[in-house]
Amino acid sequence: MSSTSAWSRLLNKVRESSKTLNPAPLLVRGFTNIDQSPGDYQQPDFSDGNIRIMQWNLLAQGLCQTSDGFILCPTGALNWDFRQYHLLEELLTYQASIYCLQEVDHFDYIKSTLNQLGYDGIFHPKPDSPCLYQPDNYGPDGCAIFWSKAQLELVSHNNLVLRRLCGTESNQVAIICQFKVVSGPSAGKEFVCVTTHLKAKKHHAELRSQQGLYLEQTLREKARDLPLVVCGDFNADPDETVVEVMKKSQLNLLSAYTLLSSSGQEPPLTTCKVRGSKKGGQEESVHTIDYLFFSKDKFQCVRLLEMPLEEQLRPNFLPSYAYPSDHLSLAADLKLIV
């Protein structure tokens, strides 16, 4: 990881830029230790061999001010001049080893910032991004992975267009990266990390199932016996087939956030938004659709980024001045145990 001083300087610069446009602070969350041990791990020390994975749908700028219809969000909170700083602030605040991102339509901007801290990144756009059909767009949106070169070396990667069972390509993508740990107690060990974004809307559950099956089959081939992390906006509630595909896979995956529940349930929400409906009313969407899976026999989950309560997000919901996306970020500190 980059030096603490360099990180702090850049984070403070971003925070000051944000304040000049709007004084509303980013709502910062803490981490919960899975083993209940005491300690403040907001600013991690990765000398213990932990790998922090952050999963986040950023909300494409090309969509948030047009087709997404966030009727409760103040216009100023959606402007790129403001959002760019809060997005960077959230990324920098949680200091991940790997960022797994979706709805990225400002890849070069984010990369230029993270480059200053020793990160590299890969971007894979959707074949036919809806952003391109919006006026004054910023280019296509897609998935991206960024990693700390001080902690990890990229061994190989595959940019994947997800397919239906009939073999035809869909409009959703994934990035599969194989990394080697270059520092700390796990130096020399390798693992695979994936980011993906499945088809949205409730009536596309069958397509999501087919996309998930294709991704799962591909990972059984690509990951082989390596430890695996799969992150993404699955656009699927916990009881949907595509989530079961991952949880029941031969890949032996565990959904990290079920560890926060004594009964093994997913969190109540990862998105909490209100959109305008075609009939002139409003449609509320509060549910869990984002996931961070890991190989439960090859990783130990040490701590997780806490999730806010629904009442903390009301009455304005997401996005807002305090949250730059309509999705909450997830983050897990994982330790390789093989």
Side-chain angles (χ1 to χ4, degrees):
M1 304 293 287
S2 61
S3 69
T4 302
S5 58
W7 199 290
S8 297
R9 284 195 301 270
L10 184 55
L11 179 55
N12 288 335
K13 180 180 179 180
V14 168
R15 284 175 173 163
E16 288 303 313
S17 298
S18 177
K19 288 178 183 177
T20 62
L21 294 168
N22 191 285
L26 179 78
L27 293 186
V28 177
R29 294 171 276 155
F31 280 80
T32 294
N33 299 319
I34 300 304
D35 61 3
Q36 303 302 312
S37 61
D40 177 13
Y41 294 101
Q42 187 66 60
Q43 309 254 330
D45 175 8
F46 293 104
S47 62
D48 56 5
N50 293 334
I51 300 165
R52 177 167 291 178
I53 311 289
M54 183 171 178
Q55 150 60 31
W56 197 19
N57 179 322
L58 299 186
L59 175 58
Q61 187 63 31
L63 300 177
C64 74
Q65 292 179 286
T66 54
S67 61
D68 276 341
F70 297 118
I71 58 176
L72 297 185
C73 183
T75 302
L78 295 175
N79 290 335
W80 179 246
D81 287 346
F82 171 76
R83 282 191 73 229
Q84 61 179 315
Y85 297 114
H86 256 10
L87 288 170
L88 289 179
E89 185 180 355
E90 181 145 352
L91 292 172
L92 295 176
T93 293
Y94 299 123
Q95 299 190 22
S97 313
I98 301 175
Y99 295 100
C100 294
L101 309 177
Q102 303 85 43
E103 285 200 34
V104 178
D105 62 352
H106 279 81
F107 174 76
D108 290 340
Y109 172 76
I110 297 171
K111 185 178 181 180
S112 66
T113 301
L114 292 180
N115 276 168
Q116 299 175 51
L117 299 172
Y119 285 75
D120 203 352
I122 295 170
F123 175 64
H124 187 25
K126 295 174 182 173
D128 188 26
S129 168
C131 291
L132 296 175
Y133 299 93
Q134 305 302 322
D136 303 318
N137 65 78
Y138 301 87
D141 77 301
C143 291
I145 286 186
F146 294 93
W147 64 94
S148 166
K149 294 187 291 183
Q151 194 177 7
L152 302 167
E153 174 190 338
L154 180 67
V155 176
S156 64
H157 80 277
N158 296 93
N159 286 349
L160 199 67
V161 177
L162 301 178
R163 293 180 179 269
R164 303 173 179 87
L165 292 183
C166 65
T168 60
E169 291 185 345
S170 68
N171 194 37
Q172 280 64 50
V173 300
I175 302 175
I176 304 171
C177 290
Q178 182 172 330
F179 292 108
K180 177 187 290 186
V181 182
V182 297
S183 62
S186 298
K189 294 182 179 180
E190 297 187 6
F191 66 97
V192 173
C193 187
V194 181
T195 181
T196 192
H197 188 186
L198 305 188
K199 180 66 175 175
K201 308 298 182 184
K202 287 186 177 180
H203 61 278
H204 287 302
E206 175 56 30
L207 176 54
R208 285 191 290 273
S209 175
Q210 294 183 31
Q211 291 175 331
L213 284 168
Y214 177 74
L215 178 60
E216 191 269 347
Q217 291 166 1
T218 303
L219 291 176
R220 280 194 274 125
E221 173 189 342
K222 299 289 185 183
R224 303 180 303 281
D225 294 325
L226 289 174
L228 176 64
V229 181
V230 181
C231 298
D233 174 3
F234 279 66
N235 275 307
D237 289 308
D239 59 354
E240 196 172 300
T241 302
V242 67
V243 179
E244 291 301 307
V245 166
M246 292 297 161
K247 291 183 176 181
K248 295 180 179 179
S249 167
Q250 297 175 22
L251 295 167
N252 204 20
L253 298 174
L254 176 67
S255 180
Y257 273 77
T258 62
L259 294 172
L260 293 180
S261 166
S262 60
S263 58
Q265 299 297 306
E266 295 289 350
L269 60 91
T270 62
T271 184
C272 181
K273 55 198 171 190
V274 172
R275 287 186 168 121
S277 69
K278 294 181 180 179
K279 296 181 180 179
Q282 60 185 41
E283 297 176 349
E284 187 174 307
S285 177
V286 181
H287 54 157
T288 292
I289 56 176
D290 304 273
Y291 301 90
L292 194 162
F293 299 102
F294 65 91
S295 302
K296 58 187 176 183
D297 57 335
K298 297 181 173 69
F299 283 108
Q300 175 191 356
C301 184
V302 179
R303 58 189 68 92
L304 291 166
L305 181 62
E306 297 169 354
M307 303 298 282
L309 300 174
E310 184 176 340
E311 49 264 36
Q312 294 177 275
L313 305 178
R314 291 176 180 270
N316 292 327
F317 294 82
L318 305 175
S320 66
Y321 278 120
Y323 286 92
S325 174
D326 59 332
H327 291 251
L328 296 168
S329 57
L330 314 179
D333 287 358
L334 303 178
K335 183 187 293 291
L336 283 161
I337 56 176
V338 295

